[in-house]
Amino acid sequence: MNVDNLVSSITPEVFERLQYGASTGRWPDGTELTEAQKEQTVQLVMLYQAKIAKSNEQFTINEDGEMVQKSKRELQQEFKAENEIARFTENDL
């Protein structure tokens, strides 16, 4: 199985488990990952983010395999646009 087929076969549920394992060093059931499993899990998470999720997180991997780091200004603009429900001035209140 090639890498693209492997990554495309990962379901969102499996990706969540992989992310949990990569960030905590344990599977959701509490079993500790070996060093080899940690390395492979991180690689799979990065591949999934790059190829499938097209993640917009601050630190992620793009489709070309390069690290994407967003600036504080870029993140503020994203959060502002996504989370705004209404905007008021002090005279409106």
Side-chain angles (χ1 to χ4, degrees):
M1 176 179 278
N2 72 25
V3 173
D4 290 328
N5 288 343
L6 174 65
V7 172
S8 65
S9 69
I10 296 174
T11 65
E13 294 80 20
V14 170
F15 175 68
E16 285 181 28
R17 291 175 57 85
L18 290 169
Q19 244 184 339
Y20 182 87
S23 63
T24 64
R26 296 181 178 276
W27 294 119
D29 69 359
T31 306
E32 197 168 318
L33 277 72
T34 66
E35 284 303 313
Q37 287 174 325
K38 287 178 191 177
E39 290 175 21
Q40 293 166 353
T41 301
V42 169
Q43 289 174 1
L44 280 172
V45 166
M46 291 169 53
L47 280 168
Y48 186 90
Q49 285 178 330
K51 303 272 184 191
I52 307 296
K54 310 243 188 258
S55 178
N56 64 351
E57 294 178 20
Q58 181 179 9
F59 298 101
T60 189
I61 306 299
N62 69 15
E63 292 181 57
D64 299 325
E66 299 169 347
M67 170 85 68
V68 175
Q69 297 180 2
K70 294 185 180 179
S71 69
K72 186 175 179 179
R73 172 174 268 143
E74 290 172 316
L75 290 170
Q76 287 173 340
Q77 291 299 321
E78 279 183 22
F79 290 131
K80 184 186 280 188
E82 290 176 10
N83 294 325
E84 257 186 31
I85 297 172
R87 184 178 287 264
F88 300 95
T89 65
E90 62 185 79
N91 296 331
D92 295 335
L93 301 175

